[in-house]
Amino acid sequence: MASRLQATARQLSKTFKKKGRFEIGIASELPPAYKKFWREWKVLKPAAVHYIPQEGKWKRDDITGEILPVQNVPIPLKYPAEIHDGIWGGEAVIKGFQKRDPRRRRVPHYWVPVLKRTVVKSEVLNTHLSVTVTDRTISLINDHYGFDHFLLKTPACDLVSMLALKLKKQILIELMNGCPRYSHDPVKQTEVYEEYKTYLTSYTPEEIEWYGLSWYEALSKLAKQKEAANRPVPLKNMYRKNLVEKLKAAGIEGTKSSPDEISATTSWLSKMNPFGKKDEA
């Protein structure tokens, strides 16, 4: 009886499967380019920052000698709104408990990254930026030999912040256009483009267009595209076009026309409009 109930429950779970984010409403029409970015940003597992992952599948306890499975469970992180105003290098706020006195109960505690303001140079954008960073961000920039290399090599799941994603998108657009900010210096323009052009092979123009957009920005962009594609054409324009085509087909002279004739046609049509303004005598 129990096995039959379990089989029925499994069948019902398959029948009434919960719809995903990209299967509801207008989101179902989002292009694959944005879905690729979303997977890179929200689905991929970010690099371990607040813990040291252990290698292998099994480990031996040093005291008891017991064989235990290795479990690399990520520490739950809190992402405040301020994280999108800077580049924290994968760090975030950790919520936990702290035992400050062995004779008292533990108390809640938040571990917050040490933030500092610094200036970074973007070679592709040919500009300096004042941003809020952490020590880890500075170390990553140095390890990648430059701010642009750091952004272009780091996946969205590790960048996290919208500021970093927007800058990465702007750099990709600049490279796709051939580094126009160095148009005054063709030698430097060619040098910068040759150094960073390899990053363009990972993206198509459509993927760059949809890269770095938040969920609501993507939906808004899609809604505007649909509205522009389905914008209604006024009937008066359609009727006027049909009338001109009929006059041309009838072989009436002067239908190829001049602006004077077009204005005359407009005035003639306006006289037939009972709701139009009448010219004062």
Side-chain angles (χ1 to χ4, degrees), residues 11-126:
Q11 186 64 29
L12 288 174
S13 64
K14 292 179 181 178
T15 305
F16 300 100
K17 184 180 178 181
K18 185 179 179 181
K19 291 186 177 181
R21 178 183 288 266
F22 292 97
E23 298 175 352
I24 302 174
I26 192 175
S28 61
E29 301 180 28
L30 285 169
Y34 184 72
K35 294 179 182 179
K36 177 184 176 182
F37 163 70
W38 184 264
R39 284 193 297 270
E40 180 186 339
W41 188 26
K42 297 294 185 180
V43 179
L44 288 183
K45 185 178 179 181
V49 177
H50 301 90
Y51 68 99
I52 300 175
Q54 299 180 4
E55 298 180 356
K57 294 183 178 181
W58 306 92
K59 64 178 181 180
R60 183 186 296 274
D61 189 275
D62 296 335
I63 299 176
T64 63
E66 185 181 1
I67 303 299
L68 301 172
V70 173
Q71 299 180 2
N72 292 317
V73 181
I75 298 176
L77 303 176
K78 300 288 184 180
Y79 296 101
E82 290 77 10
I83 196 172
H84 298 294
D85 298 329
I87 304 175
W88 291 13
E91 294 190 50
V93 178
I94 301 176
K95 178 183 178 181
F97 293 91
Q98 196 174 45
K99 191 77 171 177
R100 298 175 183 173
D101 191 331
R103 295 169 297 177
R104 295 185 179 181
R105 296 181 62 180
R106 62 180 185 175
V107 294
H109 184 76
Y110 287 90
W111 285 267
V112 183
V114 178
L115 306 177
K116 57 182 68 178
R117 197 82 178 176
T118 189
V119 176
V120 294
K121 168 69 181 298
S122 174
E123 191 173 13
V124 176
L125 299 179
N126 192 24

Side-chain angles (χ1 to χ4, degrees), residues 139-151:
S139 297
L140 289 173
I141 293 174
N142 292 333
D143 292 342
H144 288 86
Y145 302 100
F147 181 66
D148 294 337
H149 286 294
F150 159 65
L151 290 180

Side-chain angles (χ1 to χ4, degrees), residues 206-226:
E206 185 183 9
E207 290 172 356
I208 294 175
E209 181 185 356
W210 288 90
Y211 197 90
L213 297 179
S214 66
W215 179 253
Y216 295 105
E217 287 174 346
L219 294 181
S220 178
K221 180 181 178 65
L222 180 62
K224 289 179 180 178
Q225 288 182 350
K226 291 184 65 178

